[in-house]
Amino acid sequence: MRKIISKSTAVKAVVLILALIGILLIWPFRIFSSVLETSAGGTIVGETDRINHEHDNIMQEFITRYDRLSSVDVYVTRVENGRYITCLLYDENGVNQLKVYVDTQEFQIPGYVTIPMEVNVEVGKHYTLKFQNCRSKYCLALEDVPADSEYVGTLTDEFVPVEGRHLAARYNYRIPLSKKMSLLIMSIIAAIAALICFLSDLYYKKNPDKNDLVTVWKTVKHAANPIAVLVFGALMIMVFPLRIFDSRPLDIIFYELGLAITAAIVFYAINHKAVKHQVGISFWQSLKNEDRLQYILIMFSMAMAIWYACQYMNDLYDIYHEISLRHMAIWLLVAMLLTFSLKEALNIYNLIWVVASGIYGIRFYGLNKLPETEKEYDLHNLILKCGIIIVILGGLLVLNFVRILVLSIREKRFHTNHGEKKCLRPTAFGVVLLVFFVLLVAMRNTRLWGIYLVITFVCFYIRIAVWGKNKDYYKILSGGFMMNFAISLLFSWAHRYFAGYVSGRFAFIFHTVTVTAEYLTFMGAVATVMLVAKIVALPKGTNLKDMFISAWKEMTLFGFIMSYAIFTVSRTAYLAIAVSTLLVILVVISCHRKQFFRIVGVFIISLIVCFPAAFTLQRIFPAMAADPVIYAIDDTDEFIRGGAAWDSTNFMCVERFGNLFATKILGADMGEYEFPVDVYNYDSETGEPLYDYYGRPYDESPDNPANSDQGRLDVVPLEGLLVANGFTRAEYMMLMDDLVGYVDTSNALDVISNGRITIFRSYFRNLNLWGHDEMGAELPNGEIALHAHNTYLQVAYDNGIIVGIVFIIMLVMALICGIVYYRNNRKNEPLSLITAAVVIGFMVAGVSEWVFQYCNPMTVALMLSIAPITFKVKEK
């Protein structure tokens, strides 16, 4: 960044980079698109019966032609009462994909009414549109069926097929720009960039005195600042006065505050001086320039391994589990191989292996791949490809171990860069870990994942132990963890709606807040260590300004992670993160006295500052991207499962979140939070309906108690109002009649823990010395609890009591050794506290969840973090 270049070079570099970004957005990222209109054809020959409160099951089947359904235009012949129509989209399995209310007042009737969708679909599958009323009465046009209507299926009215007719509708698909258009735009961008570069050269040739020298960093600042101004200026104008995201004053103020904080952080990141701090420490600047690229690649490999472990937690079927498992194994192998020196990587043995195994792997794949006629052929073939890659990469690692072993036998020692004679020995913890690994494999009881775990991480520990640069391992590890969080955060901003309903609890990149709590527990522990290390390195009496200059990145990171933990509105997450954070602080305080209040103060400031920014970005960015990823068991509101309107009241808002937090966490009775979706059906001040179920004016309706002797008959339906305190699907299942006896209602702790005490007792009663082949213990009501919701019980149940005891001993020793390692190395490597922090997070989360499994992200984090304490090097 400090490299000196001329202004003309700087201008051309910036122009070329921006042109390259523009071209990449067109291809291969294909951000821009067009809309293709399709229809079944035919002539309008009639209309449906009136769709109203008693008749609202008009269903039209169609076959998707492309993978993104942008909208559907349906011909409405008349709207007799009310103003809304309701449309639902179902997939071929009858699963609701989307629900939309459309205000017909915005269209000319009779005529086509556009129903926005922006939902991803599977090409060639049967989907169904279902039309219902919304305190309204209307009719839809019918067309005759052409002979070649291959993309339109059956029309049903109240589940009765309507022969020879289909709805008059146009199906609009969003497709990428055509190759011709893409090439044209890319050519225009390239031509403009070339012209600017030519004019720049011409200008500086005529004015050589203005072609001064500048640093790369100054060039970046001059280019990034105006872009940041445009981005944040546009977003703030969109919030107000345009009110594109919300019209409520509280939300507008909060979003503007969040954008202002984000802008301040971004502008400081762009414009701060990238020089060595006068106070404190910088982990990045302590690395040698020649090592940084290698370290970044290893960090990325670790981050991707954790990413696929997270993906494994979201998968619901064995075939997807196998894919995620193999991807994770590949990235762990890549991380190990990236530690190779050029001498270790480039030799004749590796070359022969890569060529021979590559040729055989291609042939093996060709002989064993499934044909396209087989079910799920693509998934099975992907598993096969990943398996071949694992064998090739694993072979390289084995060759390296053989080489080290041969050299060790030949010399009976290995040398450091300075030539000292040293010997590699396992630590006391390493011996205990090895005993646990042996027992885990021996007592696996039909489970293979224990073997995978042992092989993978034994190889990893040996490789790190003999690596000449392992002194920087903690910097790499912390960078890998934080890079994974950054990748997850970008995915969340692009694909995870911050929905206010059904549960309102934000699960980040997972399908449940429980797994989110596990993930954020160890991420929070690592962020805590990174921030604490910066704080305790500051001299006594350091003011807040110098503290921010030294630790602004760590403060931002900690604040965002803790903000997302708050978004879960999960007692489990709060307790696990609070306990693990407190224990980490206590470990630090034992080594750095009189730092407690400074640390806690910085933590609080970080959270207060970052919470509005995190809330605002998570609310705004996914809505703008309009490409939500919805998991199979998500509790996401059906109204925002597609490209919902940016100002949809079904997104999270400040009032809704405050109500939810106060109710779920503080136990306060906040009453019902109500905000209508179909706003023109309700009085904005009283919430009373303006129309009855049949779309008649409510003042004139017999349902109005003022017009009836029987009292009020009309009840505002849940589909019209959003109610804050409804049950989630999981909570509902807990209270169903067929689960009576599952939760001990006389035990407050069992109720608070969602029945975990009952589950613990069931598993504890079934413990034995040898473990069990199958998972699951029977509950008092006869149901089977698939896992114990407790790591210690689960290990003892699966592998036997002896293995469970050794597992606990291993964790306790890991914690003790991690603390001792930190106390001995805190001056030279303050990040070494990460081992103790991750172990603490693992142990705390393990009390209420099952977090020990090869592909659980907490297990991957634990195994990676204990690497430095498994071996030691002694001088001979």
Side-chain angles (χ1 to χ4, degrees):
M1 285 295 186
R2 299 177 189 175
K3 184 178 180 180
I4 303 298
I5 58 176
S6 65
K7 278 189 177 180
S8 60
T9 302
V11 170
K12 288 187 287 186
V14 170
V15 170
L16 291 176
I17 290 173
L18 293 177
L20 178 61
I21 293 173
I23 290 172
L24 290 176
L25 290 177
I26 296 171
W27 191 88
F29 296 114
R30 309 180 86 173
I31 296 297
F32 304 102
S33 61
S34 60
V35 176
L36 175 65
E37 178 186 298
T38 67
S39 66
T43 304
I44 294 178
V45 293
E47 65 179 11
T48 64
D49 290 336
R50 294 177 179 85
I51 301 172
N52 60 15
H53 177 61
E54 295 177 344
H55 181 255
D56 61 352
N57 275 306
I58 300 295
M59 305 176 71
Q60 176 66 66
E61 185 183 69
F62 67 101
I63 302 173
T64 52
R65 303 177 66 172
Y66 300 92
D67 59 6
R68 177 85 171 184
L69 182 62
S70 177
S71 62
V72 174
D73 299 329
V74 60
Y75 197 96
V76 179
T77 56
R78 48 190 166 136
V79 179
E80 297 183 3
N81 290 338
R83 56 191 296 166
Y84 286 95
I85 67 175
T86 303
C87 181
L88 296 91
L89 177 68
Y90 295 93
D91 66 13
E92 63 178 355
N93 298 315
V95 177
N96 178 222
Q97 300 295 302
L98 189 67
K99 185 175 183 179
V100 185
Y101 287 151
V102 179
D103 184 6
T104 59
Q105 295 293 316
E106 301 175 4
F107 302 90
Q108 183 176 351
I109 305 298
Y112 282 98
V113 172
T114 299
I115 302 169
M117 296 282 182
E118 294 298 346
V119 62
N120 294 328
V121 294
E122 292 187 62
V123 178
K125 299 294 184 179
H126 291 252
Y127 284 74
T128 301
L129 296 173
K130 180 178 180 179
F131 291 90
Q132 295 180 329
N133 83 102
C134 178
R135 296 179 179 266
S136 57
K137 181 164 63 173
Y138 62 95
C139 297
L140 302 178
L142 295 177
E143 293 179 341
D144 55 7
V145 180
D148 58 348
S149 59
E150 56 181 315
Y151 292 103
V152 173
T154 305
L155 171 68
T156 61
D157 185 346
E158 295 294 335
F159 308 106
V160 177
V162 180
E163 299 295 336
R165 297 289 182 268
H166 65 79
L167 291 181
R170 301 187 296 233
Y171 304 89
N172 306 312
Y173 295 93
R174 188 167 298 281
I175 59 176
L177 295 177
S178 66
K179 292 181 180 179
K180 184 177 180 179
M181 180 60 67
S182 297
L183 288 173
L184 176 62
I185 297 175
M186 291 164 67
S187 300
I188 292 173
I189 293 174
I192 293 174
L195 178 62
I196 294 175
C197 290
F198 172 76
L199 294 176
S200 173
D201 281 339
L202 188 64
Y203 174 80
Y204 284 112
K205 282 182 180 179
K206 291 184 178 181
N207 302 277
D209 56 312
K210 295 185 179 181
N211 194 17
D212 301 328
L213 297 178
V214 295
T215 63
V216 173
W217 183 245
K218 188 174 182 179
T219 303
V220 171
K221 289 196 294 185
H222 282 298
N225 276 317
I227 294 175
V229 169
L230 289 174
V231 170
F232 287 104
L235 288 173
M236 296 181 82
I237 291 173
M238 291 164 69
V239 172
F240 187 81
L242 298 183
R243 302 183 182 186
I244 287 178
F245 299 107
D246 211 304
S247 59
R248 289 164 285 190
L250 179 61
D251 286 83
I252 290 174
I253 294 171
F254 194 79
Y255 298 159
E256 293 285 21
L257 175 63
L259 290 173
I261 292 172
T262 306
I265 295 172
V266 170
F267 282 117
Y268 183 79
I270 294 171
N271 296 288
H272 79 286
K273 293 182 179 179
V275 296
K276 191 172 183 179
H277 302 303
Q278 295 179 353
V279 294
I281 56 177
S282 173
F283 305 118
W284 180 250
Q285 292 169 4
S286 67
L287 301 177
K288 296 178 181 178
N289 289 333
E290 60 268 23
D291 293 334
R292 289 180 177 177
L293 177 59
Q294 179 188 23
Y295 289 1
I296 288 174
L297 293 175
I298 298 174
M299 292 175 191
F300 181 74
S301 300
M302 290 180 174
M304 292 306 297
I306 298 173
W307 170 263
Y308 281 106
C310 296
Q311 183 63 45
Y312 183 96
M313 301 302 292
N314 286 327
D315 296 331
L316 297 181
Y317 303 102
D318 289 342
I319 191 168
Y320 292 110
H321 282 151
E322 188 66 25
I323 292 173
S324 297
L325 183 152
R326 297 195 178 201
H327 276 112
M328 188 192 80
I330 288 172
W331 283 107
L332 288 173
L333 285 168
V334 170
M336 288 184 261
L337 295 175
L338 285 170
T339 63
F340 283 12
S341 65
L342 288 177
K343 182 178 179 181
E344 291 172 318
L346 302 178
N347 58 63
I348 187 63
Y349 305 107
N350 288 346
L351 179 61
I352 292 174
W353 169 256
V354 170
V355 173
S357 61
I359 293 173
Y360 182 77
I362 293 173
R363 184 172 183 275
F364 185 84
Y365 177 78
L367 293 174
N368 292 275
K369 68 177 182 179
L370 293 181
E372 295 184 5
T373 54
E374 295 290 332
K375 182 180 180 182
E376 297 179 335
Y377 75 94
D378 52 341
L379 300 179
H380 288 283
N381 290 343
L382 178 58
I383 292 173
L384 180 60
K385 287 179 184 177
C386 290
I388 294 171
I389 293 172
I390 289 172
V391 171
I392 295 173
L393 298 181
L396 288 173
L397 196 63
V398 170
L399 286 175
N400 176 260
F401 286 153
V402 171
R403 174 182 172 275
I404 293 173
L405 182 61
V406 170
L407 291 176
S408 178
I409 293 173
R410 182 186 302 170
E411 302 178 7
K412 295 185 178 180
R413 61 185 180 272
F414 67 92
H415 301 274
T416 66
N417 293 333
H418 299 289
E420 298 96 337
K421 296 179 181 179
K422 298 194 174 183
C423 183
L424 185 67
R425 292 285 186 269
T427 63
F429 168 73
V431 173
V432 174
L433 181 64
L434 180 60
V435 171
F436 172 68
F437 278 173
V438 170
L439 290 174
L440 186 65
V441 172
M443 306 292 289
R444 64 186 182 275
N445 291 328
T446 72
R447 297 171 184 84
L448 295 178
W449 66 261
I451 299 176
Y452 302 153
L453 183 146
V454 171
I455 293 175
T456 300
F457 288 103
V458 166
C459 292
F460 187 88
Y461 299 150
I462 295 174
R463 181 59 215 166
I464 295 301
V466 301
W467 185 32
K469 301 177 182 178
N470 56 17
K471 66 183 186 305
D472 292 325
Y473 179 76
Y474 278 113
K475 297 183 180 70
I476 297 170
L477 180 64
S478 60
F481 284 154
M482 295 304 102
M483 194 176 288
N484 174 263
F485 179 75
I487 293 171
S488 301
L489 186 62
L490 291 175
F491 178 86
S492 180
W493 284 347
H495 300 296
R496 297 292 287 160
Y497 280 165
F498 197 3
Y501 310 89
V502 173
S503 70
R505 299 188 291 178
F506 187 60
F508 197 42
I509 63 170
F510 300 98
H511 55 63
T512 66
V513 294
T514 303
V515 183
T516 308
E518 300 171 11
Y519 174 84
L520 293 176
T521 296
F522 81 81
M523 282 296 177
V526 175
T528 299
V529 171
M530 297 180 69
L531 181 52
V532 166
K534 282 295 186 76
I535 296 172
V536 299
L538 296 172
K540 183 179 180 181
T542 302
N543 58 40
L544 186 61
K545 177 182 176 182
D546 288 336
M547 188 178 298
F548 176 80
I549 291 173
S550 176
W552 70 273
K553 293 188 290 293
E554 290 77 12
M555 291 176 68
T556 302
L557 181 67
F558 177 86
F560 266 75
I561 290 175
M562 293 306 168
S563 295
Y564 276 85
I566 292 176
F567 295 164
T568 65
V569 196
S570 166
R571 292 185 293 265
T572 304
Y574 293 178
L575 181 62
I577 293 174
V579 172
S580 60
T581 301
L582 179 61
L583 291 175
V584 171
I585 293 175
L586 292 177
V587 173
V588 175
I589 298 303
S590 68
C591 302
H592 303 275
R593 301 183 184 279
K594 300 180 180 179
Q595 294 273 18
F596 179 78
F597 292 106
R598 175 194 276 190
I599 292 172
V600 173
V602 172
F603 282 3
I604 294 173
I605 291 173
S606 302
L607 180 56
I608 291 175
V609 170
C610 292
F611 183 84
F615 190 101
T616 300
L617 298 181
Q618 189 59 58
R619 163 62 181 88
I620 288 176
F621 283 171
M624 296 175 66
D627 188 22
V629 171
I630 308 297
Y631 300 121
I633 58 174
D634 254 347
D635 272 333
T636 304
D637 188 349
E638 61 188 357
F639 286 102
I640 51 172
R641 286 178 173 262
W646 293 0
D647 63 346
S648 171
T649 56
N650 291 61
F651 287 123
M652 183 60 75
C653 67
V654 177
E655 184 182 358
R656 162 63 172 154
F657 186 82
N659 182 291
L660 185 67
F661 184 89
T663 302
K664 297 286 185 181
I665 303 303
L666 304 180
D669 184 6
M670 303 299 294
E672 291 184 346
Y673 169 73
E674 297 181 346
F675 200 93
V677 180
D678 48 333
V679 292
Y680 296 111
N681 274 345
Y682 297 91
D683 185 281
S684 60
E685 295 182 358
T686 65
E688 292 293 324
L690 299 178
Y691 305 95
D692 67 7
Y693 287 122
Y694 296 90
R696 297 169 297 197
Y698 193 63
D699 291 340
E700 305 171 7
S701 171
D703 292 341
N704 190 327
N707 304 326
S708 174
D709 296 333
Q710 301 178 1
R712 180 168 180 172
L713 302 177
D714 183 272
V715 178
V716 179
L718 289 179
E719 65 268 17
L721 291 179
L722 305 179
V723 183
N725 298 326
F727 290 121
T728 67
R729 188 180 312 161
E731 290 168 331
Y732 176 73
M733 290 297 296
M734 291 284 290
L735 298 175
M736 285 179 62
D737 291 339
D738 61 350
L739 290 182
V740 172
Y742 176 15
V743 180
D744 183 2
T745 55
S746 64
N747 187 331
L749 185 59
D750 200 25
V751 175
I752 294 174
S753 65
N754 290 334
R756 279 176 170 79
I757 304 301
T758 299
I759 297 174
F760 294 169
R761 290 171 178 167
S762 298
Y763 268 84
F764 188 80
R765 284 194 297 267
N766 287 277
L767 295 182
N768 59 42
L769 287 177
W770 314 113
H772 298 79
D773 290 340
E774 300 294 334
M775 291 181 61
E778 185 175 346
L779 300 174
N781 67 339
E783 296 286 331
I784 300 297
L786 295 181
H787 62 85
H789 287 278
N790 179 284
T791 299
Y792 313 101
L793 280 174
Q794 191 69 54
V795 173
Y797 181 88
D798 289 345
N799 307 102
I801 294 175
I802 295 175
V803 181
I805 293 172
V806 176
F807 176 67
I808 295 173
I809 294 173
M810 183 271 292
L811 289 177
V812 172
M813 281 201 66
L815 178 58
I816 295 172
C817 293
I819 294 173
V820 171
Y821 191 95
Y822 168 69
R823 293 173 70 92
N824 294 336
N825 297 274
R826 63 183 183 274
K827 292 184 179 179
N828 298 325
E829 187 50 273
L831 289 179
S832 58
L833 182 59
I834 284 178
T835 295
V838 173
V839 173
I840 289 171
F842 183 92
M843 294 176 73
V844 172
V847 172
S848 59
E849 288 302 330
W850 176 38
V851 296
F852 184 68
Q853 203 268 356
Y854 179 46
C855 289
N856 188 293
M858 286 212 74
T859 298
V860 177
L862 175 71
M863 294 293 113
L864 291 175
S865 67
I866 62 177
I869 63 173
T870 55
F871 287 93
K872 60 183 176 181
V873 179
K874 281 191 173 182
E875 293 190 12
K876 296 187 67 176

